[in-house]
Amino acid sequence: MNYDYLIVGAGLFGAVFAYEAVKRGKKCLVIDKRDHVAGNVYCEQIEEINVHKYGAHIFHTSDKEIWNYVNQFAEFNNYINSPIAVYKDELYNLPFNMNTFSKMWNIRTPQEAKEIIAGQIAKLNIKNPQNLEEQALSLAGKDIYEKLIKGYTEKQWGKACRELPAFIIKRLPFRFTYNNNYFNDHFQGIPIGGYTKIVEKLLDGSTVLTGTNYFQFREEHQDIATKTVFTGMIDEYFAYRLGVLEHRSVRFETEILDYENYQGNAVVNYTEFEVPYTRIIEHKHFEFGKQTKTVVSREYSSEWKVGMEPYYPINDEKNTKLYEKYRELADKEKKVIFGGRLGQYRYYDMDQVIKEALKAVNSEFGV
């Protein structure tokens, strides 16, 4: 045994575990199938702009302990996520707030907005929503649903809203103030210099191999470590023997433009179904960039198949039951720790990934 831990995946979960293990005098080997560390939070510098290669990542949390933890490794700016929604030739603020309602209905007061929404819901008279469309209409009324929910949701899931289960939209956040801050969390920002630098600091002291496929590596180095921390897909670890856990994937089209400022905002959602992409990210705005050029990424939600990059777990009843069966198999693997979005089949935010990694550390080493 050359190492105490073989850590599969150099994303946030694996990197935090490695950092804490090394602090405790353990030897860690971290491998990743990609040619870089940092997983989906990887930032690639293009035209001196930190490009979020795998989609926009805004760090936000209400957990002061996690905020203090991540601030050991980077200084965060004061970026506030305030996305814009485009429907045909109309622009709206997100999340749904008084700026949204004022633009949509030419009104000014919260009471006016509440009355319009309540009136539209009452006219629909949906008592027991049977699908996502009925659920959204019963929560938001016709105007908001048709302009800001329907097309975006159908692109995101690749199905008509009438074919999607109602539980996907359990609630819709309405904010009857003129506040465009997407998150309610107390702490929010973007690490100055990008996320990759955070992960590199976390991995300092570990041996790191990128471009390395775990399943091939395992065959050739069966006894390289005492224990394994696995952050890949839990069903792939078990060779899909019980079936495949479903995901949605995302395709990105990134280009450099000869504009100083292309869209005036970091995140612009396109809610009309006829526009094929879900949103455009202009990366420089995450760090208030003044570069003479800009880099934008269009995001296309896509069907996922085995071999593609998984992004969003489909946590419906069928997949949840299947995951629980894999979880039972995982519990029997006494020398393997499963973690992260893929290892635990959960859509975690970054702060939740870090929290789960620290929980795994405490379980392994004690507080």
Side-chain angles (χ1 to χ4, degrees):
M1 301 288 184
N2 297 323
Y3 296 92
D4 297 296
Y5 294 93
L6 169 62
I7 299 173
V8 183
L12 281 175
F13 189 100
V16 168
F17 191 98
Y19 176 79
E20 295 296 328
V22 168
K23 266 200 330 189
R24 290 161 173 80
K26 305 300 182 182
K27 289 181 65 179
C28 296
L29 171 62
V30 182
I31 66 172
D32 200 291
K33 66 180 181 180
R34 289 173 173 164
D35 62 359
H36 58 75
V37 301
N40 282 0
V41 302
Y42 172 69
C43 291
E44 179 182 21
Q45 196 164 92
I46 302 174
E47 296 291 334
E48 299 182 347
I49 297 166
N50 289 307
V51 173
H52 296 208
K53 187 167 182 176
Y54 303 100
H57 286 82
I58 298 103
F59 197 93
H60 59 98
T61 187
S62 292
D63 190 323
K64 191 172 184 179
E65 182 180 343
I66 297 300
W67 179 247
N68 289 339
Y69 184 86
V70 76
N71 271 265
Q72 297 176 88
F73 310 104
E75 180 182 355
F76 281 72
N77 65 22
N78 62 341
Y79 175 83
I80 299 296
N81 190 31
S82 304
I84 299 292
V86 175
Y87 176 78
K88 296 187 177 180
D89 60 348
E90 302 168 13
L91 275 78
Y92 295 98
N93 291 100
L94 296 175
F96 307 140
N97 67 70
M98 283 306 301
N99 288 307
T100 318
F101 309 141
S102 176
K103 176 70 180 289
M104 188 168 289
W105 299 311
N106 193 28
I107 59 169
R108 188 168 56 86
T109 68
Q111 188 60 34
E112 289 174 296
K114 290 178 181 179
E115 288 174 359
I116 290 172
I117 293 168
Q120 290 187 4
I121 292 171
K123 283 182 182 179
L124 294 164
N125 195 33
I126 299 171
K127 300 296 185 185
N128 184 24
Q130 296 300 303
N131 53 56
L132 187 147
E133 178 169 278
E134 292 182 358
Q135 177 77 339
L137 285 167
S138 70
L139 292 170
K142 184 179 179 182
D143 291 347
I144 293 172
Y145 170 71
E146 290 189 346
K147 292 188 175 184
L148 300 180
I149 298 173
K150 184 177 187 295
Y152 190 92
T153 302
E154 290 182 344
K155 287 189 288 188
Q156 189 76 14
W157 290 94
K159 291 183 179 179
C161 287
R162 291 175 185 170
E163 299 173 9
L164 292 167
F167 75 81
I168 289 176
I169 295 183
K170 295 178 180 177
R171 64 181 184 87
L172 286 171
F174 291 101
R175 187 180 289 159
F176 293 98
T177 60
Y178 290 90
N179 177 7
N180 296 325
N181 185 351
Y182 194 82
F183 301 117
N184 290 317
D185 290 307
H186 189 63
F187 307 105
Q188 182 177 172
I190 301 285
I192 297 170
Y195 289 97
T196 307
K197 290 183 178 180
I198 293 177
V199 175
E200 287 172 346
K201 289 180 181 178
L202 287 165
L203 293 175
D204 188 30
S206 295
T207 302
V208 179
L209 296 176
T210 56
T212 303
N213 181 286
Y214 165 68
F215 300 101
Q216 295 173 0
F217 187 84
R218 179 174 64 178
E219 289 180 10
E220 299 167 8
H221 305 88
Q222 293 184 15
D223 297 322
I224 199 165
T226 306
K227 296 185 80 170
T228 297
V229 177
F230 186 79
T231 70
M233 295 188 295
I234 190 170
D235 53 344
E236 185 180 19
Y237 179 89
F238 292 105
Y240 308 106
R241 72 175 73 161
L242 304 177
V244 175
L245 291 167
E246 295 175 301
H247 294 79
R248 289 290 288 170
S249 192
V250 183
R251 178 173 62 85
F252 302 94
E253 287 183 356
T254 298
E255 61 178 328
I256 302 166
L257 300 175
D258 285 320
Y259 292 91
E260 185 179 343
N261 185 354
Y262 175 69
Q263 64 185 17
N265 206 49
V267 182
V268 178
N269 290 3
Y270 286 79
T271 61
E272 188 182 357
F273 182 78
E274 287 70 21
V275 178
Y277 41 85
T278 54
R279 61 183 183 174
I280 297 179
I281 306 301
E282 187 168 10
H283 301 269
K284 70 190 304 179
H285 295 307
F286 289 129
E287 298 187 61
F288 315 109
K290 303 295 183 185
Q291 297 88 347
T292 56
K293 293 186 179 183
T294 194
V295 180
V296 300
S297 297
R298 289 172 177 82
E299 296 187 11
Y300 299 79
S301 183
S302 62
E303 182 182 358
W304 176 86
K305 295 179 180 178
V306 172
M308 297 174 64
E309 287 290 345
Y311 282 87
Y312 304 107
I314 300 178
N315 294 125
D316 58 12
E317 185 177 357
K318 179 185 75 171
N319 283 286
T320 298
K321 286 181 178 177
L322 180 57
Y323 167 72
E324 288 305 322
K325 292 178 181 177
Y326 276 117
R327 178 73 257 173
E328 291 173 9
L329 289 179
D331 288 340
K332 296 174 183 176
E333 298 278 313
K334 299 306 180 184
K335 293 187 176 182
V336 183
I337 298 166
F338 293 84
R341 279 186 175 189
L342 302 179
Q344 295 175 311
Y345 197 62
R346 293 286 184 275
Y347 184 75
Y348 288 135
D349 287 327
M350 287 178 284
D351 64 325
Q352 294 170 312
V353 172
I354 293 170
K355 190 163 190 171
E356 287 297 314
L358 292 173
K359 278 173 61 178
V361 168
N362 289 339
S363 175
E364 184 72 4
F365 303 110
V367 179

